[in-house]
C-alpha cells in the first residue's frame, strides 16, 4: 500500500472514529462542546496538510453532515440552537479553506521553482526568476527583439573519438559551466545545450536595454574564461579547447514550446538561424567571435573589431556584413 492510500485511510478512520464518539451518550459541556466539536478538526487539518484544498473541503463537508445530523434532535428539543450548529459547520469549512489554501499555495511555489529549473536550467538569473514568478513576464508567446548568441566547440568530434567517455563528460561540463556563468553574469539566458553547442539569448524573457552590448561583453568574457578553462584542463592532462561564437540581433518568437508532457522555453525565427550560421562562419574566417551589423549598430560603446567581406548565408537573400571582435583596445577598424 503506497503512502497516499495510507494517508487517505487515516483520514477516513479518524472521521469514522470521531463520528462514533460523536454519537456516544456523553452529556454536559464535555460531550456537547469538546468531543462533538473539536475532534472533527483533526481529520480536516490532516486532509488539508496532506492533500490540499479540495480534499480538505470534502472532509469538512463530511464532518459537517455528521455533526449536523447528531444535533438535529437537540435542536428540536431546544438544548442547542440552530445558530450554534451553523457557526460550527462554518468553522469546519473555514479551517478547511485556510489549511488547504496555504498548502496549495506552497505547492504552487514549489512547482514554479521546479518549472524554472526544468525550463531555464541551473543558470537562470535571480532577476529573470523574480520577474517570472511575479507574473510580469508571459511565457505563452511574444514577438521580441533580442540578441541571440551561439557558441560551438571546434574539433570536438575528434576529441570524443580519441578520449575516454568519462573524460569527455568532465571536459564538456567544465566548459559549459564556465560559459554559462559568463552568459548569466551579463544578463543573458542559456536556452539550451545542443551537443557541444550553446544557445543563449539577451533580452528575453525579461526585456533588456542594450542587449547587443551585453551579448558582446558576454562573448568577451567567454573568451577570457575559455583561457582559464584551458589552463585547468592542461594541468589535468586534458587537451585544450577552441570555440567559435556568433551573435545576431533581430525579432524572434519567444515562448514555451513542446508537448503536454514536456515544455521548454525556446526562440523561433530567422534571427536564430542567422546567429547559428554566423557562428559557423568563424571556421571560414579563422576567427572566434563574429557579430552582425545589427549587433554592431546597437553597441553603446566602441569595441575593437575588424570589418570582414560580406558573407552569403543560406536562407538570407543579401550577403551579411560581419565584424570580428579582436583582442585590441576599443577602436573600430573599418
Amino acid at each position: 500500500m503506497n503512502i497516499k492510500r495510507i494517508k487517505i485511510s487515516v483520514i477516513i478512520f479518524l472521521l469514522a472514529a470521531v463520528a462514533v464518539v460523536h454519537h456516544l451518550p456523553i452529556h454536559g459541556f464535555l460531550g456537547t462542546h469538546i468531543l462533538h466539536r473539536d475532534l472533527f478538526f483533526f481529520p480536516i487539518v490532516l486532509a488539508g496538510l496532506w492533500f490540499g484544498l479540495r480534499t480538505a473541503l470534502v472532509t469538512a463537508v463530511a464532518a459537517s453532515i455528521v455533526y449536523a445530523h447528531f444535533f438535529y434532535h437537540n435542536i428540536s428539543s431546544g438544548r442547542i440552537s440552530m445558530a450554534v450548529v451553523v457557526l460550527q459547520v462554518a468553522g469546519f469549512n473555514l479551517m478547511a479553506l485556510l489549511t488547504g489554501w496555504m498548502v496549495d499555495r506552497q505547492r504552487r511555489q514549489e512547482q514554479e521553482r521546479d518549472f524554472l529549473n526544468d525550463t531555464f536550467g541551473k543558470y537562470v538569473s535571480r532577476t529573470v526568476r523574480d520577474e517570472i514568478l511575479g507574473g510580469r513576464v508571459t511565457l505563452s508567446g511574444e514577438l521580441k527583439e533580442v540578441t541571440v548568441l551561439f557558441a560551438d566547440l571546434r574539433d570536438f568530434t575528434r576529441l570524443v573519438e580519441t578520449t575516454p567517455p568519462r573524460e569527455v563528460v568532465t571536459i564538456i561540463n567544465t566548459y559549459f559551466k564556465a560559459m554559462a556563468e559568463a552568459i548569466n553574469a551579463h544578463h543573458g539566458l542559456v536556452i539550451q545545450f545542443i551537443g557541444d553547442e550553446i544557445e543563449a539569448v539577451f533580452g528575453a524573457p525579461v526585456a533588456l536595454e542594450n542587449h547587443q552590448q551585453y551579448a558582446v561583453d558576454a562573448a568577451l568574457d567567454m573568451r577570457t574564461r575559455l583561457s582559464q578553462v584551458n589552463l585547468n584542463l592542461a594541468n589535468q592532462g586534458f587537451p585544450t579547447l577552441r570555440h567559435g561564437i556568433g551573435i545576431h540581433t533581430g525579432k524572434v518568437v519567444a515562448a514555451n514550446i513542446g508537448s503536454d508532457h514536456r515544455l521548454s522555453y525556446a526562440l523561433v525565427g530567422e534571427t536564430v538561424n542567422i546567429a547559428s550560421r554566423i557562428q559557423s562562419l568563424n571556421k571560414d574566417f579563422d576567427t572566434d567571435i563574429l557579430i552582425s551589423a545589427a549587433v554592431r549598430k546597437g553597441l553603446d560603446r566602441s569595441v575593437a573589431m575588424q570589418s570582414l567581406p560580406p558573407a552569403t548565408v543560406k536562407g538570407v537573400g543579401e550577403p551579411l556584413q560581419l565584424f570580428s571582435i579582436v583582442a585590441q583596445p576599443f577602436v573600430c577598424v573599418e
Side-chain angles (χ1 to χ4, degrees), residues 270 273-274 277 311-317:
E270 185 182 52
N273 298 331
I274 293 175
R277 286 162 185 160
T312 301
V313 175
K314 182 180 178 181
V316 180

Side-chain angles (χ1 to χ4, degrees), residues 32-329:
T32 304
H33 295 283
I34 303 299
L35 297 179
H36 294 308
R37 181 187 65 185
D38 296 342
L39 291 181
F40 279 113
F41 285 108
F42 287 99
I44 293 172
V45 171
L46 284 179
L49 293 175
W50 285 344
F51 297 105
L53 180 59
R54 183 179 300 179
T55 304
L57 286 175
V58 170
T59 307
V61 169
S64 299
I65 292 172
V66 175
Y67 180 86
H69 178 266
F70 173 78
F71 281 109
Y72 175 76
H73 296 292
N74 290 333
I75 293 171
S76 300
S77 63
R79 293 173 57 191
I80 189 169
S81 68
M82 174 65 78
V84 173
V85 176
V86 170
L87 287 174
Q88 192 59 55
V89 167
F92 294 155
N93 288 274
L94 181 60
M95 177 60 72
L97 283 170
L98 291 175
T99 306
W101 176 79
M102 288 189 295
V103 170
D104 284 358
R105 182 172 180 270
Q106 181 180 0
R107 289 179 178 175
R108 282 195 300 271
Q109 291 176 342
E110 292 174 353
Q111 289 172 355
E112 287 169 343
R113 286 195 294 269
D114 292 341
F115 164 77
L116 286 179
N117 288 331
D118 290 341
T119 305
F120 299 112
K122 294 175 65 177
Y123 296 101
V124 59
S125 69
R126 178 174 296 181
T127 302
V128 172
R129 180 200 65 191
D130 292 343
E131 288 292 310
I132 295 172
L133 290 180
R136 295 180 289 273
V137 176
T138 176
L139 301 179
S140 58
E142 56 183 341
L143 185 66
K144 299 177 70 75
E145 181 182 274
V146 300
T147 297
V148 180
L149 179 152
F150 276 89
D152 183 70
L153 283 173
R154 298 288 177 257
D155 305 319
F156 196 71
T157 300
R158 184 165 65 245
L159 177 66
V160 171
E161 294 172 349
T162 58
T163 307
R166 182 172 295 181
E167 294 182 7
V168 170
V169 172
T170 299
I171 292 170
I172 198 167
N173 282 345
T174 301
Y175 170 76
F176 279 158
K177 181 177 184 294
M179 298 305 105
E181 288 174 349
I183 291 166
N184 185 43
H186 296 277
H187 307 288
L189 174 68
V190 175
I191 296 294
Q192 59 180 333
F193 300 110
I194 317 167
D196 59 351
E197 188 175 56
I198 301 171
E199 178 187 358
V201 63
F202 298 79
V206 179
L208 182 66
E209 295 290 334
N210 303 322
H211 45 81
Q212 298 94 333
Q213 187 68 60
Y214 282 114
V216 171
D217 289 343
L220 292 171
D221 194 1
M222 292 167 72
R223 174 190 277 168
T224 300
R225 292 182 190 238
L226 180 61
S227 299
Q228 297 170 348
V229 167
N230 281 332
L231 180 61
N232 293 334
L233 291 176
N235 290 336
Q236 298 177 61
F238 294 132
T240 57
L241 304 174
R242 296 185 303 118
H243 69 189
I245 297 174
I247 309 174
H248 182 55
T249 295
K251 298 286 188 178
V252 300
V253 174
N256 272 336
I257 295 175
S259 67
D260 293 339
H261 303 291
R262 179 68 177 177
L263 288 172
S264 62
Y265 189 71
L267 309 177
V268 179
E270 185 182 52
T271 299
V272 180
N273 298 331
I274 293 175
S276 178
R277 286 162 185 160
I278 290 175
Q279 178 277 123
S280 298
L281 289 173
N282 280 291
K283 302 173 185 177
D284 299 333
F285 290 111
D286 193 26
T287 55
D288 68 332
I289 303 175
L290 288 177
I291 67 172
S292 67
V295 176
R296 179 178 180 271
K297 184 179 179 181
L299 298 180
D300 59 4
R301 61 175 171 78
S302 296
V303 176
M305 63 182 72
Q306 176 71 49
S307 178
L308 300 174
T312 301
V313 175
K314 182 180 178 181
V316 180
E318 297 182 359
L320 291 177
Q321 179 63 57
L322 300 177
F323 300 87
S324 170
I325 305 297
V326 296
Q328 296 292 331

